[in-house]
Amino acid sequence: MKGNGVMWTSVYMARSREKAELLRNAIEEKNIIVMLRCIRVPDKAVEDCYEILVPAAELEEALDIIIDE
C-alpha cells in the first residue's frame, strides 16, 4: 500500500479493535507511524479484524515491539 511516498507493510492482524489500539499505542511510543485498517468479517458471529500497517523501513522494529507486548 502506498500513500504520501510511504510504502506501507502489514505487520499484524488483530482480532479486536482493543488489541489493535494497544499495539498501535505501543508502536507509536517508539516514534513509528502506524495505520489501522478494518477488515470487515461478513459473519457477524466474529468481530471485525484490524490490520496494523507500518512503513516498510520500520517493519523489523515494529515486529520486535509486537513480540515484546
Side-chain angles (χ1 to χ4, degrees):
M1 171 181 283
K2 291 183 180 181
N4 297 335
V6 175
M7 179 63 113
W8 293 91
T9 302
S10 180
V11 70
Y12 191 83
M13 291 292 291
R15 291 181 178 243
S16 70
R17 183 167 187 86
E18 293 79 22
K19 179 69 174 181
E21 294 287 345
L22 176 91
L23 292 172
R24 176 171 64 183
N25 292 339
I27 295 168
E28 285 179 339
E29 284 178 11
K30 301 294 185 179
N31 296 316
I32 299 172
I33 57 174
V34 179
M35 181 168 48
L36 296 183
R37 181 167 49 188
C38 181
I39 308 298
R40 298 277 175 208
V41 179
D43 177 7
K44 283 302 176 181
V46 178
E47 266 190 83
D48 293 335
C49 292
Y50 292 83
E51 184 176 22
I52 299 171
L53 300 112
V54 298
E58 306 287 355
L59 177 61
E60 284 188 44
E61 187 175 353
L63 282 172
D64 288 342
I65 295 164
I66 289 170
I67 289 168
D68 288 342
E69 263 315 294

